[in-house]
Short mmCIF file of all heavy atoms in Angstrom, two decimals:
data_model
loop_
_atom_site.label_atom_id
_atom_site.label_comp_id
_atom_site.label_asym_id
_atom_site.label_seq_id
_atom_site.Cartn_x
_atom_site.Cartn_y
_atom_site.Cartn_z
N MET M 1 40.31 44.26 3.65
CA MET M 1 40.15 43.59 4.93
C MET M 1 40.22 44.64 5.97
O MET M 1 39.40 44.60 6.97
CB MET M 1 41.35 42.58 5.09
CG MET M 1 41.07 41.54 6.21
SD MET M 1 39.60 40.65 5.78
CE MET M 1 39.21 39.79 7.25
N LYS M 2 40.98 45.61 5.82
CA LYS M 2 41.06 46.69 6.87
C LYS M 2 39.69 47.40 6.94
O LYS M 2 39.28 47.72 8.09
CB LYS M 2 42.20 47.67 6.59
CG LYS M 2 42.30 48.84 7.55
CD LYS M 2 43.56 49.61 7.28
CE LYS M 2 43.71 50.86 8.09
NZ LYS M 2 43.27 50.76 9.50
N TYR M 3 39.16 47.70 5.90
CA TYR M 3 37.76 48.28 5.86
C TYR M 3 36.80 47.44 6.53
O TYR M 3 35.95 47.96 7.30
CB TYR M 3 37.33 48.60 4.27
CG TYR M 3 35.92 49.06 4.28
CD1 TYR M 3 35.63 50.51 4.56
CD2 TYR M 3 34.86 48.33 3.87
CE1 TYR M 3 34.33 50.90 4.55
CE2 TYR M 3 33.64 48.71 3.82
CZ TYR M 3 33.35 50.05 4.07
OH TYR M 3 32.04 50.57 4.01
N ARG M 4 36.83 46.12 6.37
CA ARG M 4 35.84 45.26 7.02
C ARG M 4 36.07 45.21 8.50
O ARG M 4 35.09 45.23 9.25
CB ARG M 4 36.04 43.78 6.48
CG ARG M 4 35.38 43.61 5.09
CD ARG M 4 35.63 42.07 4.78
NE ARG M 4 34.69 41.73 3.68
CZ ARG M 4 34.61 40.51 3.13
NH1 ARG M 4 35.43 39.64 3.61
NH2 ARG M 4 33.77 40.29 2.17
N VAL M 5 37.26 45.16 8.95
CA VAL M 5 37.58 45.11 10.40
C VAL M 5 37.30 46.42 11.06
O VAL M 5 36.75 46.50 12.09
CB VAL M 5 39.04 44.66 10.66
CG1 VAL M 5 39.30 44.81 12.14
CG2 VAL M 5 39.29 43.26 10.17
N ASP M 6 37.53 47.55 10.36
CA ASP M 6 37.22 48.84 10.95
C ASP M 6 35.78 49.23 10.87
O ASP M 6 35.37 50.24 11.53
CB ASP M 6 38.13 49.85 10.24
CG ASP M 6 39.57 49.72 10.60
OD1 ASP M 6 39.81 49.13 11.64
OD2 ASP M 6 40.39 50.29 9.83
N SER M 7 34.90 48.49 10.20
CA SER M 7 33.51 48.79 10.15
C SER M 7 32.91 48.50 11.45
O SER M 7 33.39 47.76 12.28
CB SER M 7 32.79 48.04 9.07
OG SER M 7 32.64 46.70 9.51
N PRO M 8 31.66 49.13 11.79
CA PRO M 8 31.13 48.92 13.19
C PRO M 8 30.75 47.39 13.41
O PRO M 8 31.04 46.82 14.43
CB PRO M 8 29.83 49.68 13.13
CG PRO M 8 30.04 50.75 12.20
CD PRO M 8 31.02 50.20 11.16
N LYS M 9 30.23 46.70 12.36
CA LYS M 9 29.99 45.37 12.45
C LYS M 9 31.27 44.47 12.62
O LYS M 9 31.29 43.56 13.42
CB LYS M 9 29.15 44.87 11.26
CG LYS M 9 28.75 43.33 11.40
CD LYS M 9 27.88 42.92 10.16
CE LYS M 9 27.46 41.50 10.32
NZ LYS M 9 26.75 40.96 9.26
N GLY M 10 32.24 44.83 11.88
CA GLY M 10 33.54 44.16 11.93
C GLY M 10 34.20 44.32 13.40
O GLY M 10 34.76 43.34 13.89
N LYS M 11 34.05 45.51 13.87
CA LYS M 11 34.60 45.74 15.26
C LYS M 11 33.87 44.79 16.29
O LYS M 11 34.57 44.19 17.21
CB LYS M 11 34.56 47.11 15.65
CG LYS M 11 35.61 48.01 14.94
CD LYS M 11 35.42 49.46 15.39
CE LYS M 11 36.43 50.28 14.59
NZ LYS M 11 36.32 51.70 15.00
N GLN M 12 32.61 44.73 16.12
CA GLN M 12 31.75 43.88 17.07
C GLN M 12 32.19 42.54 16.97
O GLN M 12 32.42 41.75 18.04
CB GLN M 12 30.31 44.07 16.78
CG GLN M 12 29.42 43.41 17.76
CD GLN M 12 28.00 43.41 17.36
OE1 GLN M 12 27.63 44.00 16.31
NE2 GLN M 12 27.08 43.08 18.15
N ILE M 13 32.32 41.96 15.78
CA ILE M 13 32.75 40.58 15.60
C ILE M 13 34.12 40.36 16.11
O ILE M 13 34.48 39.34 16.80
CB ILE M 13 32.63 40.15 14.08
CG1 ILE M 13 31.10 40.20 13.66
CG2 ILE M 13 33.26 38.81 13.85
CD1 ILE M 13 30.98 40.03 12.10
N TYR M 14 35.02 41.23 15.77
CA TYR M 14 36.51 41.03 16.20
C TYR M 14 36.61 41.03 17.71
O TYR M 14 37.42 40.30 18.23
CB TYR M 14 37.32 42.08 15.54
CG TYR M 14 38.76 41.78 15.58
CD1 TYR M 14 39.32 40.76 14.86
CD2 TYR M 14 39.60 42.49 16.49
CE1 TYR M 14 40.66 40.47 14.86
CE2 TYR M 14 40.98 42.16 16.56
CZ TYR M 14 41.50 41.20 15.74
OH TYR M 14 42.80 40.84 15.74
N ILE M 15 35.85 41.92 18.38
CA ILE M 15 35.92 42.02 19.82
C ILE M 15 35.52 40.74 20.43
O ILE M 15 36.00 40.15 21.40
CB ILE M 15 35.13 43.21 20.42
CG1 ILE M 15 35.93 44.50 20.01
CG2 ILE M 15 34.93 43.12 21.89
CD1 ILE M 15 35.12 45.73 20.36
N HIS M 16 34.41 40.16 19.86
CA HIS M 16 33.75 38.89 20.47
C HIS M 16 34.80 37.78 20.18
O HIS M 16 34.98 36.94 21.07
CB HIS M 16 32.43 38.63 19.75
CG HIS M 16 31.87 37.33 20.25
ND1 HIS M 16 31.28 37.21 21.43
CD2 HIS M 16 31.67 36.18 19.66
CE1 HIS M 16 30.85 36.02 21.60
NE2 HIS M 16 31.06 35.34 20.53
N ARG M 17 35.45 37.82 19.04
CA ARG M 17 36.34 36.77 18.71
C ARG M 17 37.56 36.80 19.71
O ARG M 17 37.98 35.71 20.12
CB ARG M 17 36.86 36.88 17.31
CG ARG M 17 37.95 35.87 16.85
CD ARG M 17 38.30 36.19 15.46
NE ARG M 17 39.36 35.25 15.07
CZ ARG M 17 40.22 35.41 14.12
NH1 ARG M 17 40.07 36.43 13.31
NH2 ARG M 17 41.22 34.57 13.86
N MET M 18 38.12 37.94 19.98
CA MET M 18 39.27 38.01 20.88
C MET M 18 38.97 37.66 22.28
O MET M 18 39.79 37.07 22.99
CB MET M 18 39.79 39.52 20.93
CG MET M 18 40.42 39.93 19.62
SD MET M 18 41.86 38.95 19.12
CE MET M 18 42.97 39.53 20.29
N SER M 19 37.73 37.78 22.70
CA SER M 19 37.37 37.46 24.08
C SER M 19 36.88 36.03 24.31
O SER M 19 36.86 35.59 25.38
CB SER M 19 36.23 38.38 24.60
OG SER M 19 35.05 38.18 23.86
N VAL M 20 36.51 35.30 23.23
CA VAL M 20 36.00 34.02 23.42
C VAL M 20 36.99 32.93 23.02
O VAL M 20 37.30 32.10 23.83
CB VAL M 20 34.72 33.85 22.55
CG1 VAL M 20 34.19 32.42 22.66
CG2 VAL M 20 33.72 34.85 23.03
N VAL M 21 37.58 32.95 21.85
CA VAL M 21 38.29 31.80 21.26
C VAL M 21 39.83 31.99 21.35
O VAL M 21 40.49 31.09 21.77
CB VAL M 21 37.91 31.48 19.84
CG1 VAL M 21 38.64 30.43 19.27
CG2 VAL M 21 36.36 31.18 19.80
N GLU M 22 40.27 33.12 20.98
CA GLU M 22 41.73 33.37 20.90
C GLU M 22 42.50 32.98 22.11
O GLU M 22 43.66 32.40 21.99
CB GLU M 22 41.99 34.77 20.35
CG GLU M 22 41.35 35.14 19.06
CD GLU M 22 42.20 34.61 17.86
OE1 GLU M 22 43.41 34.47 17.97
OE2 GLU M 22 41.59 34.39 16.81
N PRO M 23 42.14 33.43 23.28
CA PRO M 23 43.03 33.15 24.46
C PRO M 23 43.24 31.63 24.73
O PRO M 23 44.35 31.23 25.21
CB PRO M 23 42.27 33.74 25.62
CG PRO M 23 41.38 34.78 25.00
CD PRO M 23 41.06 34.26 23.66
N VAL M 24 42.29 30.77 24.38
CA VAL M 24 42.53 29.37 24.61
C VAL M 24 43.58 28.86 23.67
O VAL M 24 44.51 28.15 24.05
CB VAL M 24 41.17 28.58 24.30
CG1 VAL M 24 41.42 27.11 24.42
CG2 VAL M 24 40.09 29.05 25.21
N PHE M 25 43.53 29.20 22.38
CA PHE M 25 44.65 28.79 21.42
C PHE M 25 45.98 29.44 21.77
O PHE M 25 46.97 28.79 21.64
CB PHE M 25 44.12 29.10 20.02
CG PHE M 25 43.01 28.21 19.52
CD1 PHE M 25 41.80 28.91 19.27
CD2 PHE M 25 43.17 26.88 19.38
CE1 PHE M 25 40.76 28.12 18.82
CE2 PHE M 25 42.08 26.11 18.94
CZ PHE M 25 40.85 26.71 18.63
N GLY M 26 45.93 30.69 22.23
CA GLY M 26 47.19 31.32 22.61
C GLY M 26 47.75 30.58 23.83
O GLY M 26 48.97 30.38 23.80
N ASN M 27 47.03 30.22 24.80
CA ASN M 27 47.57 29.55 25.94
C ASN M 27 48.07 28.19 25.64
O ASN M 27 49.19 27.80 26.04
CB ASN M 27 46.39 29.43 27.11
CG ASN M 27 46.94 28.76 28.32
OD1 ASN M 27 48.03 28.77 28.70
ND2 ASN M 27 45.98 28.04 28.96
N ILE M 28 47.28 27.43 24.85
CA ILE M 28 47.82 26.10 24.54
C ILE M 28 49.01 26.11 23.59
O ILE M 28 49.93 25.33 23.71
CB ILE M 28 46.54 25.19 23.83
CG1 ILE M 28 45.50 24.97 24.95
CG2 ILE M 28 47.08 23.95 23.26
CD1 ILE M 28 44.28 24.32 24.33
N GLY M 29 48.96 27.05 22.64
CA GLY M 29 50.04 27.19 21.71
C GLY M 29 51.37 27.74 22.34
O GLY M 29 52.47 27.24 22.08
N THR M 30 51.18 28.74 23.15
CA THR M 30 52.41 29.41 23.67
C THR M 30 52.82 28.86 25.00
O THR M 30 53.96 28.47 25.08
CB THR M 30 52.08 30.96 23.80
OG1 THR M 30 51.67 31.45 22.56
CG2 THR M 30 53.31 31.75 24.34
N ASN M 31 51.96 28.82 25.97
CA ASN M 31 52.33 28.38 27.29
C ASN M 31 52.57 26.83 27.42
O ASN M 31 53.41 26.42 28.11
CB ASN M 31 51.30 28.81 28.37
CG ASN M 31 51.15 30.33 28.38
OD1 ASN M 31 52.02 31.05 28.16
ND2 ASN M 31 49.92 30.72 28.79
N LYS M 32 51.77 26.15 26.66
CA LYS M 32 51.90 24.66 26.73
C LYS M 32 52.87 24.13 25.54
O LYS M 32 53.16 22.96 25.51
CB LYS M 32 50.51 23.96 26.57
CG LYS M 32 49.45 24.42 27.41
CD LYS M 32 49.45 23.84 28.72
CE LYS M 32 48.28 24.28 29.65
NZ LYS M 32 48.22 25.59 29.94
N ARG M 33 53.21 25.07 24.72
CA ARG M 33 54.12 24.80 23.61
C ARG M 33 53.67 23.66 22.63
O ARG M 33 54.42 22.80 22.22
CB ARG M 33 55.53 24.48 24.14
CG ARG M 33 56.16 25.62 24.84
CD ARG M 33 57.56 25.41 25.19
NE ARG M 33 58.16 26.60 25.75
CZ ARG M 33 58.64 26.56 27.02
NH1 ARG M 33 58.75 25.48 27.68
NH2 ARG M 33 59.16 27.66 27.48
N LEU M 34 52.34 23.70 22.34
CA LEU M 34 51.82 22.68 21.38
C LEU M 34 51.81 23.43 20.05
O LEU M 34 50.86 24.06 19.67
CB LEU M 34 50.39 22.34 21.77
CG LEU M 34 49.72 21.34 20.75
CD1 LEU M 34 50.44 20.04 20.76
CD2 LEU M 34 48.28 21.12 21.10
N ASN M 35 52.92 23.37 19.24
CA ASN M 35 52.89 23.88 17.93
C ASN M 35 52.79 22.90 16.81
O ASN M 35 52.59 23.24 15.68
CB ASN M 35 54.18 24.75 17.77
CG ASN M 35 55.45 23.94 17.98
OD1 ASN M 35 55.38 22.75 18.29
ND2 ASN M 35 56.63 24.61 17.79
N ARG M 36 52.88 21.59 17.23
CA ARG M 36 52.58 20.51 16.35
C ARG M 36 52.35 19.26 17.15
O ARG M 36 52.74 19.14 18.28
CB ARG M 36 53.72 20.23 15.30
CG ARG M 36 54.96 19.77 15.96
CD ARG M 36 56.02 19.51 14.88
NE ARG M 36 56.24 20.69 14.09
CZ ARG M 36 57.19 20.80 13.17
NH1 ARG M 36 57.88 19.73 12.78
NH2 ARG M 36 57.46 21.87 12.52
N PHE M 37 51.52 18.38 16.53
CA PHE M 37 51.16 17.18 17.29
C PHE M 37 52.24 16.05 17.14
O PHE M 37 53.01 16.07 16.19
CB PHE M 37 49.76 16.58 16.72
CG PHE M 37 48.68 17.53 17.06
CD1 PHE M 37 48.23 18.41 16.10
CD2 PHE M 37 48.10 17.56 18.33
CE1 PHE M 37 47.13 19.25 16.32
CE2 PHE M 37 47.04 18.44 18.61
CZ PHE M 37 46.53 19.17 17.61
N SER M 38 52.41 15.22 18.21
CA SER M 38 53.49 14.35 18.16
C SER M 38 53.00 12.89 17.74
O SER M 38 53.80 11.98 17.64
CB SER M 38 54.09 14.20 19.60
OG SER M 38 53.14 13.79 20.58
N LEU M 39 51.66 12.81 17.44
CA LEU M 39 51.08 11.52 16.97
C LEU M 39 50.61 11.60 15.61
O LEU M 39 50.40 12.73 15.10
CB LEU M 39 49.98 11.17 18.01
CG LEU M 39 50.42 10.99 19.50
CD1 LEU M 39 49.14 10.87 20.32
CD2 LEU M 39 51.37 9.88 19.67
N ARG M 40 50.32 10.42 15.09
CA ARG M 40 49.74 10.40 13.67
C ARG M 40 48.40 9.79 13.77
O ARG M 40 48.17 8.85 14.59
CB ARG M 40 50.62 9.65 12.77
CG ARG M 40 51.87 10.36 12.45
CD ARG M 40 52.60 9.46 11.41
NE ARG M 40 53.80 10.30 10.97
CZ ARG M 40 54.33 10.04 9.78
NH1 ARG M 40 53.94 9.11 8.97
NH2 ARG M 40 55.38 10.73 9.37
N GLY M 41 47.48 10.17 12.86
CA GLY M 41 46.22 9.63 12.82
C GLY M 41 45.18 10.46 13.42
O GLY M 41 45.46 11.09 14.47
N LYS M 42 44.03 10.59 12.83
CA LYS M 42 42.99 11.47 13.30
C LYS M 42 42.58 11.22 14.76
O LYS M 42 42.41 12.14 15.61
CB LYS M 42 41.83 11.44 12.39
CG LYS M 42 40.72 12.46 12.68
CD LYS M 42 39.63 12.42 11.69
CE LYS M 42 38.48 13.48 12.04
NZ LYS M 42 37.42 13.39 11.09
N SER M 43 42.34 9.96 15.13
CA SER M 43 41.81 9.68 16.42
C SER M 43 42.85 9.94 17.56
O SER M 43 42.65 10.44 18.58
CB SER M 43 41.38 8.21 16.55
OG SER M 43 42.48 7.28 16.32
N LYS M 44 44.22 9.71 17.21
CA LYS M 44 45.21 9.95 18.13
C LYS M 44 45.52 11.48 18.27
O LYS M 44 45.68 11.96 19.36
CB LYS M 44 46.58 9.23 17.68
CG LYS M 44 46.53 7.80 17.75
CD LYS M 44 47.86 7.18 17.20
CE LYS M 44 47.72 5.65 17.29
NZ LYS M 44 48.99 5.11 16.63
N VAL M 45 45.49 12.19 17.23
CA VAL M 45 45.61 13.74 17.25
C VAL M 45 44.49 14.27 18.08
O VAL M 45 44.64 15.18 18.91
CB VAL M 45 45.70 14.32 15.84
CG1 VAL M 45 45.53 15.85 15.93
CG2 VAL M 45 47.08 13.86 15.29
N GLN M 46 43.21 13.76 17.86
CA GLN M 46 42.03 14.20 18.57
C GLN M 46 42.19 13.92 20.03
O GLN M 46 41.95 14.82 20.90
CB GLN M 46 40.80 13.55 17.99
CG GLN M 46 39.56 14.13 18.63
CD GLN M 46 38.25 13.57 17.94
OE1 GLN M 46 38.38 12.53 17.23
NE2 GLN M 46 37.23 14.23 18.02
N GLY M 47 42.73 12.79 20.41
CA GLY M 47 42.97 12.41 21.86
C GLY M 47 44.03 13.43 22.42
O GLY M 47 43.80 13.90 23.58
N GLN M 48 45.04 13.67 21.74
CA GLN M 48 46.10 14.56 22.28
C GLN M 48 45.49 15.96 22.43
O GLN M 48 45.80 16.66 23.43
CB GLN M 48 47.28 14.58 21.29
CG GLN M 48 48.44 15.34 21.86
CD GLN M 48 49.67 15.35 20.90
OE1 GLN M 48 49.68 14.71 19.88
NE2 GLN M 48 50.73 15.96 21.34
N TRP M 49 44.77 16.49 21.41
CA TRP M 49 44.13 17.87 21.50
C TRP M 49 43.16 17.80 22.76
O TRP M 49 43.17 18.82 23.47
CB TRP M 49 43.47 18.15 20.22
CG TRP M 49 42.64 19.40 20.29
CD1 TRP M 49 41.31 19.59 20.40
CD2 TRP M 49 43.22 20.73 20.39
NE1 TRP M 49 40.97 20.87 20.51
CE2 TRP M 49 42.14 21.61 20.53
CE3 TRP M 49 44.50 21.18 20.43
CZ2 TRP M 49 42.34 22.98 20.60
CZ3 TRP M 49 44.73 22.50 20.52
CH2 TRP M 49 43.59 23.46 20.62
N GLN M 50 42.39 16.83 22.94
CA GLN M 50 41.49 16.80 24.12
C GLN M 50 42.22 16.81 25.42
O GLN M 50 41.78 17.37 26.37
CB GLN M 50 40.51 15.56 23.97
CG GLN M 50 39.53 15.73 22.88
CD GLN M 50 38.69 14.52 22.66
OE1 GLN M 50 38.99 13.38 23.18
NE2 GLN M 50 37.55 14.63 21.92
N LEU M 51 43.37 16.10 25.45
CA LEU M 51 44.15 16.15 26.64
C LEU M 51 44.62 17.56 27.00
O LEU M 51 44.59 18.02 28.12
CB LEU M 51 45.36 15.19 26.54
CG LEU M 51 46.26 15.06 27.74
CD1 LEU M 51 45.47 14.48 28.88
CD2 LEU M 51 47.40 14.14 27.33
N TYR M 52 45.13 18.26 25.97
CA TYR M 52 45.56 19.68 26.22
C TYR M 52 44.44 20.47 26.59
O TYR M 52 44.58 21.38 27.41
CB TYR M 52 46.20 20.19 24.88
CG TYR M 52 47.70 19.87 24.84
CD1 TYR M 52 48.16 18.76 24.19
CD2 TYR M 52 48.60 20.70 25.41
CE1 TYR M 52 49.50 18.49 24.07
CE2 TYR M 52 49.99 20.49 25.21
CZ TYR M 52 50.44 19.23 24.57
OH TYR M 52 51.78 19.07 24.51
N CYS M 53 43.19 20.40 26.02
CA CYS M 53 42.10 21.06 26.47
C CYS M 53 41.71 20.79 27.87
O CYS M 53 41.27 21.68 28.60
CB CYS M 53 40.92 20.90 25.49
SG CYS M 53 41.22 21.54 23.87
N LEU M 54 41.75 19.51 28.26
CA LEU M 54 41.46 19.13 29.58
C LEU M 54 42.33 19.81 30.62
O LEU M 54 42.03 20.39 31.62
CB LEU M 54 41.58 17.66 29.75
CG LEU M 54 41.35 17.06 31.13
CD1 LEU M 54 39.85 17.08 31.43
CD2 LEU M 54 41.81 15.56 31.20
N VAL M 55 43.59 19.76 30.29
CA VAL M 55 44.69 20.46 31.16
C VAL M 55 44.32 21.98 31.31
O VAL M 55 44.32 22.51 32.38
CB VAL M 55 46.07 20.22 30.63
CG1 VAL M 55 47.10 21.18 31.34
CG2 VAL M 55 46.48 18.83 30.86
N HIS M 56 43.96 22.59 30.14
CA HIS M 56 43.60 24.03 30.13
C HIS M 56 42.38 24.24 31.03
O HIS M 56 42.41 25.25 31.85
CB HIS M 56 43.29 24.48 28.68
CG HIS M 56 42.76 25.85 28.57
ND1 HIS M 56 43.59 27.00 28.68
CD2 HIS M 56 41.53 26.37 28.47
CE1 HIS M 56 42.88 28.05 28.58
NE2 HIS M 56 41.58 27.70 28.50
N ASN M 57 41.40 23.46 31.03
CA ASN M 57 40.19 23.63 31.77
C ASN M 57 40.42 23.36 33.32
O ASN M 57 39.90 24.05 34.05
CB ASN M 57 39.02 22.78 31.30
CG ASN M 57 38.48 23.35 29.92
OD1 ASN M 57 38.51 24.49 29.63
ND2 ASN M 57 38.05 22.44 29.08
N VAL M 58 41.25 22.28 33.53
CA VAL M 58 41.60 22.02 34.92
C VAL M 58 42.37 23.20 35.57
O VAL M 58 42.14 23.55 36.78
CB VAL M 58 42.40 20.73 35.14
CG1 VAL M 58 42.87 20.57 36.42
CG2 VAL M 58 41.40 19.55 34.77
N GLU M 59 43.31 23.80 34.81
CA GLU M 59 44.01 24.93 35.32
C GLU M 59 43.16 26.08 35.60
O GLU M 59 43.28 26.79 36.61
CB GLU M 59 45.07 25.40 34.29
CG GLU M 59 46.28 24.46 34.31
CD GLU M 59 47.32 24.94 33.29
OE1 GLU M 59 46.94 25.74 32.33
OE2 GLU M 59 48.46 24.45 33.34
N LYS M 60 42.07 26.34 34.77
CA LYS M 60 41.19 27.43 34.99
C LYS M 60 40.31 27.12 36.30
O LYS M 60 40.13 28.07 37.01
CB LYS M 60 40.11 27.59 33.76
CG LYS M 60 40.86 28.22 32.58
CD LYS M 60 39.88 28.41 31.42
CE LYS M 60 38.49 28.43 31.52
NZ LYS M 60 37.77 28.52 30.28
N LEU M 61 39.92 25.89 36.53
CA LEU M 61 39.22 25.65 37.62
C LEU M 61 40.07 25.72 38.96
O LEU M 61 39.62 26.18 39.99
CB LEU M 61 38.70 24.09 37.62
CG LEU M 61 37.59 23.90 36.67
CD1 LEU M 61 37.27 22.37 36.56
CD2 LEU M 61 36.36 24.67 37.13
N ALA M 62 41.32 25.39 38.87
CA ALA M 62 42.26 25.44 39.99
C ALA M 62 42.53 26.88 40.33
O ALA M 62 42.66 27.12 41.50
CB ALA M 62 43.56 24.69 39.69
N ILE M 63 42.64 27.73 39.37
CA ILE M 63 42.89 29.08 39.64
C ILE M 63 41.66 29.80 40.27
O ILE M 63 41.77 30.62 41.18
CB ILE M 63 43.31 29.88 38.34
CG1 ILE M 63 44.70 29.42 37.87
CG2 ILE M 63 43.28 31.37 38.52
CD1 ILE M 63 45.12 29.91 36.52
N SER M 64 40.50 29.48 39.74
CA SER M 64 39.24 30.11 40.27
C SER M 64 38.86 29.55 41.67
O SER M 64 38.01 30.23 42.36
CB SER M 64 38.12 29.95 39.29
OG SER M 64 37.77 28.60 39.14
N SER M 65 39.32 28.48 42.05
CA SER M 65 38.89 27.85 43.32
C SER M 65 39.74 28.44 44.50
O SER M 65 40.73 28.89 44.60
CB SER M 65 39.20 26.30 43.38
OG SER M 65 38.35 25.76 42.48
#
């Protein structure tokens, strides 16, 4: 795995991954303290996840305005 990540292609993929997806999950998991869902059932969990994503996006809009 170290060889794959240290290769030129691996570095390019890893840099893109860190800049696009990881901060969202880090913010929701750490700052919002969502480490497990409090509801059961796929539709309820999906609704709870969408609510956390909505809050994340509204905060981004409030900061940039």
Side-chain angles (χ1 to χ4, degrees):
M1 198 61 191
K2 182 170 174 37
Y3 173 76
R4 282 184 165 178
V5 173
D6 289 340
S7 70
K9 185 178 179 182
K11 286 180 182 179
Q12 182 182 11
I13 292 170
Y14 195 72
I15 287 170
H16 181 70
R17 178 180 174 198
M18 291 298 288
S19 66
V20 175
V21 178
E22 297 279 336
V24 176
F25 291 113
N27 180 29
I28 291 174
T30 304
N31 298 335
K32 310 275 185 302
R33 295 190 178 120
L34 178 67
N35 56 2
R36 63 177 64 177
F37 293 100
S38 60
L39 302 171
R40 289 184 172 206
K42 186 176 179 181
S43 63
K44 291 178 183 178
V45 168
Q46 188 173 17
Q48 187 177 2
W49 175 251
Q50 289 174 345
L51 181 63
Y52 273 91
C53 291
L54 177 75
V55 169
H56 174 78
N57 289 328
V58 168
E59 284 178 346
K60 283 179 23 179
L61 288 173
I63 291 171
S64 66
S65 296

